[in-house]
Amino acid sequence: MTSGSTGQAEAERDEKGGIRTALAGLTTRGRSFLAAGVAAAVCAYVLGQSDLLRVGLLLSVLPLVCATVLYRTRYRVSGSRRLSPARVPAGSEARVHLRMDNVSRLPTGLLMLQDRVPYVLGPRPRFVLDRVEPGGRREVSYRVRSDLRGRYPLGPLQLRLSDPFGMCELTRSFSTYDTLTVIPRVEPLPPVRFSGEAKGYGDGRQRSLALAGEDDVIPRGYRYGDDLRRVHWRSTARYGELMVRREEQPQRARCTVLLDTRGPAFQGAGPDSAFEWAVSGTASVLVHMLERGFSVRLLTDTGSSVPGEGADGFAGASQESADAAGLMMDTLAVIDHSDGTGLSRAYDLLRGGNEGLLVAFFGDLDEEQATVAAKMRQRSGGAVAFVLDSGTWGREPTDVPGALDRGEERLRMLREAGWTALSVPRGASLNDLWRRADRARTDAVATGGVLGEGGAA
């Protein structure tokens, strides 16, 4: 995959300041030649030596000619940048390709390239290109890598040109830049079945129609264009009008992934913090459920839903899974702590309809927020919660008296409400927790626990 936002940039020419710009680019050698030429010309005039005057003129004209030619050349060199890929997981590398084209009829001198990159992506890359022939091109590349998710600008590209005699150096800055998106790490998850019973497209019993309409197995009136082979003769005789069978629509299982972004709910910062683990876990579940054929949406404690702007917020059946995944990954790349302190907005959105399978990543839960989270289970077919308690994550358990007891109490409240709730210790693997959640739900069903139907995940 490559970036589609590459392009060429042309610097704006300032005719009034052209001479001043060219003279400002003279190097120490160029200034020395110019000064020596002027001095020789003055001495030649005073002493009346014509030969010395010719030498002085030569020394003076050479740096001026170099500066003029170089100044005109700088507007005939174009540059472009290409990212491969433009979206990369945290900890992985992307390659940036730079291309310089000489569109003039004259060869260039020494070219020095420098691309601006944020400090988090690594050192600023610099390249030296020798003479580029007329109509020629040069391509170079460098690698960037970040352990922190986010969106990072690359550019603008700076080009320093030098004449063959080293008399003048001019810097040109291109105006365009590209953006590298570093998304959270995605951990492959094993396919499990949280309910163990549902079948069909998406392997879930809590399903919604994948196509528009509300067709079911009940016959309906004939419409112009309907296939006569679908005529239901028994209903036609009963109602006295032509009736046709409704075709069963493909079904698509639903899954809502809830990410708790409340600032007070998480302790610490950095790539190894609890919040970053929750973001990475959310990304892993989203990708996994899309690959399993689910209609998925991302929900936060603020009530914002991605993708989709409709009432349910789910990615529709007409939307490609890759597009939905890209939109959610871009959102997770820049997501940060919210200013909220509660989960009520997310609960208000969840209680509006049947949400299918609900997978939540919670931070610290006090008694009030644990009660709200427990109520979310009522409108979902199945519910799995991963709780990142700071008592077991950010600090040593002995440093916070009673932290473990409070954490177990919150887990008990969620489990009694029907959640499959697991505590996430520091450094835990989501793959292992995913399997543990499946075993815990299976054991609860086997022992007669009251759990709703979920879907295969």
Side-chain angles (χ1 to χ4, degrees):
M1 176 181 179
T2 59
S3 169
S5 59
T6 59
Q8 295 183 349
E10 294 292 339
E12 297 182 355
R13 184 182 301 189
D14 188 350
E15 296 292 348
K16 295 182 179 180
I19 298 178
R20 184 181 304 175
T21 302
L23 293 178
L26 290 176
T27 62
T28 302
R29 179 184 299 178
R31 295 176 187 273
S32 300
F33 267 65
L34 182 60
V38 172
V42 172
C43 292
Y45 176 78
V46 173
L47 300 176
Q49 297 290 329
S50 58
D51 293 337
L52 183 59
L53 179 60
R54 286 193 289 269
V55 173
L57 291 177
L58 176 62
L59 294 177
S60 302
V61 170
L62 182 60
L64 295 179
V65 171
C66 291
T68 302
V69 173
L70 192 62
Y71 181 76
R72 293 175 60 86
T73 303
R74 71 195 293 253
Y75 295 106
R76 299 183 179 274
V77 179
S78 63
S80 63
R81 182 190 299 102
R82 179 169 55 90
L83 305 182
S84 178
R87 184 188 293 120
V88 62
S92 300
E93 290 185 345
R95 184 167 289 274
V96 182
H97 301 269
L98 302 177
R99 171 178 162 178
M100 303 304 301
D101 293 272
N102 182 13
V103 296
S104 68
R105 298 180 180 179
L106 298 175
T108 67
L110 191 67
L111 300 180
M112 289 169 281
L113 299 179
Q114 178 176 276
D115 205 8
R116 292 184 178 180
V117 299
Y119 175 77
V120 70
L121 296 182
R124 181 170 296 182
R126 294 180 175 89
F127 303 94
V128 177
L129 302 180
D130 203 355
R131 176 181 177 276
V132 181
E133 66 278 3
R137 69 178 59 169
R138 296 291 186 271
E139 294 186 4
V140 293
S141 64
Y142 63 93
R143 294 177 295 179
V144 290
R145 178 181 182 274
S146 174
D147 292 328
L148 299 175
R149 56 184 176 82
R151 293 173 63 87
Y152 302 100
L154 300 178
L157 179 66
Q158 290 184 330
L159 175 64
R160 180 177 295 178
L161 300 93
S162 176
D163 66 281
F165 300 102
M167 298 289 181
C168 184
E169 288 185 356
L170 294 179
T171 300
R172 173 183 174 184
S173 294
F174 296 88
S175 58
T176 59
Y177 66 92
D178 292 273
T179 301
L180 175 68
T181 302
V182 181
I183 62 176
R185 292 184 178 90
V186 175
E187 183 176 354
L189 301 179
V192 299
R193 184 184 296 278
F194 285 118
S195 65
E197 294 185 13
K199 297 180 180 179
Y201 183 48
D203 292 337
R205 180 167 291 185
Q206 298 292 342
R207 298 177 293 183
S208 60
L209 293 178
L211 301 178
E214 299 180 354
D215 287 354
D216 51 32
V217 295
I218 302 176
R220 60 167 174 82
Y222 175 83
R223 300 171 185 168
Y224 179 77
D226 286 338
D227 190 348
L228 293 178
R229 290 175 295 181
R230 292 174 52 197
V231 173
H232 194 269
W233 297 108
R234 182 177 300 177
S235 299
T236 299
R238 178 178 179 182
Y239 293 104
E241 60 177 322
L242 201 59
M243 306 291 291
V244 296
R245 296 187 300 272
R246 298 174 185 253
E247 291 184 348
E248 183 179 359
Q249 297 292 332
Q251 303 293 318
R252 192 175 183 88
R254 284 182 168 185
C255 176
T256 297
V257 183
L258 172 62
L259 174 61
D260 183 6
T261 63
R262 297 172 297 132
F266 295 93
Q267 302 292 334
D272 298 328
S273 64
F275 182 69
E276 292 301 323
W277 192 99
V279 173
S280 177
T282 300
S284 302
V285 173
L286 288 172
V287 172
H288 175 75
M289 303 307 287
L290 284 172
E291 291 176 348
R292 299 288 294 172
F294 280 68
S295 181
V296 181
R297 72 170 172 179
L298 168 65
L299 182 65
T300 67
D301 58 289
T302 61
S304 60
S305 178
V306 181
E309 299 178 356
D312 57 5
F314 286 90
S318 60
Q319 184 173 1
E320 296 292 338
S321 295
D323 295 337
L327 181 58
M328 289 184 284
M329 291 299 106
D330 289 344
T331 302
L332 291 176
V334 297
I335 200 168
D336 202 353
H337 294 293
S338 66
D339 296 330
T341 58
L343 301 170
S344 57
R345 292 184 181 178
Y347 169 68
D348 292 339
L349 189 61
L350 286 171
R351 69 178 180 179
N354 197 327
E355 306 303 325
L357 179 64
L358 174 61
V359 181
F361 291 84
F362 293 118
D364 283 337
L365 295 174
D366 55 24
E367 185 175 359
E368 179 182 358
Q369 300 309 317
T371 302
V372 175
K375 294 179 181 179
M376 295 179 183
R377 171 63 181 83
Q378 299 173 1
R379 298 300 299 174
S380 62
V384 181
F386 300 98
V387 182
L388 291 85
D389 194 323
S390 61
T392 59
W393 187 277
R395 308 185 189 98
E396 293 294 335
T398 54
D399 294 340
V400 185
L404 293 178
D405 294 338
R406 289 195 297 270
E408 289 297 329
E409 177 64 20
R410 305 298 180 255
L411 292 176
R412 184 187 61 81
M413 293 177 61
L414 295 178
R415 289 165 182 164
E416 288 180 351
W419 285 85
T420 301
L422 297 178
S423 177
V424 181
R426 187 179 185 88
S429 169
L430 180 60
N431 189 297
D432 297 336
L433 293 174
W434 194 250
R435 296 180 184 275
R436 285 179 53 193
D438 176 47
R439 291 195 297 267
R441 186 172 179 84
T442 302
D443 294 343
V445 173
T447 55
V450 182
L451 294 174
E453 295 295 339

